[in-house]
């Protein structure tokens, strides 16, 4: 089963902790000789997973059975030619999940009592991820993006084009909105809405109906997310969409021009500089707010305090350092935190734990490359 990654999905995966759980991450490519190398790499990853399962006292035959569905992908050529930057598989007795994501993952195979989700946290850092909506008359596409790449996101009930949006509204819509449709006489107009933009004869009412359907579908999917939304399209469409959308996180700038001919990597190349500028501004603002309140009751860099507040839903903003880990255990029922200098059996990365609790309670997480920016592995601002 393939799925999109949402915060709800992340916590569903994390909540499964009975039996053997295989988590597989690897970088992938969309074309060229690298695709064959991806298949070979995947085969080797499955062998690693099998060896890990056997080392955990699983019978070899049972290990092969658990991995059988994944092994079938080796023979699916179409699967290997429709990938993003990164491939993720989660495999257990009751779950087989595939995700194609815009992250250039390092190759990792982990077999534990629960799924290993740490590499996915990058998709939930507020200075890392964004959404991109690419719209024209002929096409409507939606992507989840990071600094690495874009990946398609399926949006339920979102029209695929203007003609698709209007086909139930007007019996003649498909004729009127078919780009390049010949006019029946000199008094009739041809296509109302062209790929290059909005023609002077286009019906604003029809354009509004189209874009309202797009916005409704996105609202159903995203709700009131704070993740930035970047628009790609001609200026006239951006102007209308920015006025009607209920998404308060839409950026003021946009990717200019007709996006129809642009492949995802081309869209990403134009989009990321816009998003990065906005992300840096947001991250600096969050860091400035923390520094302003450091030393008060509504801010802390003590991981014990942060974990307690995150579990209670009181962390509004969490600042963490990339590649920094703090090993130990947290028992929320007893509000007990045990820290270790080095990783021990049964330990978890408590920074990741704090991030997960923060996200699950509607807080925001910002990641910084240098520890010196924060002054500690983690810091937080509290709601109250």
């Amino acid at each position: 089963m393939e799925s999109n990654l949402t915060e709800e999905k992340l916590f569903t995966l994390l909540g499964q902790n009975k039996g053997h759980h295989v988590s597989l991450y690897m970088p992938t490519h969309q074309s060229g000789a690298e695709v064959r190398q991806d298949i070979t790499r995947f085969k080797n990853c499955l062998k690693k997973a099998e060896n890990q399962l056997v080392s955990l006292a699983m019978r070899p035959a049972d290990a092969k059975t658990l991995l059988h569905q994944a092994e079938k992908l080796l023979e699916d050529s179409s699967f290997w030619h429709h990938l993003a930057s990164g491939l993720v598989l989660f495999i257990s007795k009751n779950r087989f999940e595939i995700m194609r994501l815009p992250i250039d993952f390092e190759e990792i195979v982990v077999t534990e009592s629960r799924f290993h989700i740490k590499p996915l946290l990058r998709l939930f850092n507020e200075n890392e991820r964004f959404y991109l909506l690419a719209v024209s008359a002929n096409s409507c596409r939606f992507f989840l993006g990071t600094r690495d790449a874009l990946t398609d996101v399926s949006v339920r009930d979102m029209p695929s084009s203007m003609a698709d949006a209007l086909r139930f509204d007007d019996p003649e819509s498909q004729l009127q909105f078919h780009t390049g449709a010949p006019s029946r006489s000199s008094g009739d107009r041809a296509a109302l809405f062209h790929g290059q933009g909005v023609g002077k004869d286009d019906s604003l009412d029809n354009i509004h109906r189209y874009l309202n359907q797009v916005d409704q579908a996105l609202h159903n999917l995203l709700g009131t997310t704070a993740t930035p939304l970047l628009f790609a399209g001609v200026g006239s469409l951006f102007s209308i969409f920015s006025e009607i959308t209920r998404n308060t996180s839409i950026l003021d700038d946009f990717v200019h021009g007709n996006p129809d001919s642009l492949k995802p990597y081309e869209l990403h190349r134009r989009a990321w500089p816009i998003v990065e500028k906005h992300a840096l501004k947001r991250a600096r603002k969050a860091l400035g707010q923390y520094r302003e309140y450091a030393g008060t009751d509504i801010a802390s860099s003590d991981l014990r305090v942060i974990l307690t507040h995150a579990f209670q839903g009181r962390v509004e903003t969490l600042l963490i350092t990339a590649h920094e880990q703090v090993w130990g255990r947290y028992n929320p029922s007893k509000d007990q935190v045990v820290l270790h200098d080095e990783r021990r059996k049964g330990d978890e990365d408590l920074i990741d734990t704090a991030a997960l609790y923060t996200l699950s309670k509607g807080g925001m997480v910002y990641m910084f490359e240098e520890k010196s920016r924060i002054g500690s592995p983690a810091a937080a601002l509290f709601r109250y």
Side-chain angles (χ1 to χ4, degrees), residues 300 302-316 318 329-339 350 353-355 357-358 360-361 380-384:
S300 179
D302 186 332
L303 191 54
R304 295 179 177 85
V305 176
I306 293 173
L307 281 165
T308 297
H309 284 55
F311 178 73
Q312 295 172 351
R314 294 177 57 192
V315 174
E316 181 177 13
L318 178 67
R329 302 178 190 179
Y330 174 54
N331 185 333
S333 63
K334 296 181 179 180
D335 191 23
Q336 184 180 54
V337 180
V338 178
L339 303 178
L350 295 177
T353 303
Y357 283 132
T358 298
S360 70
K361 307 294 185 178
L381 278 169
F382 307 134
R383 291 189 172 102
Y384 52 88

Side-chain angles (χ1 to χ4, degrees), residues 15 27 68 100 137 143 152 178 184 227 249 256 274 276 283 313 357:
H68 176 67
R100 314 180 203 209
F143 302 91
D152 288 286
H178 180 67
R184 288 171 291 179
T227 301
S249 298
H256 296 251
I274 299 172
E276 184 178 34
Y357 283 132

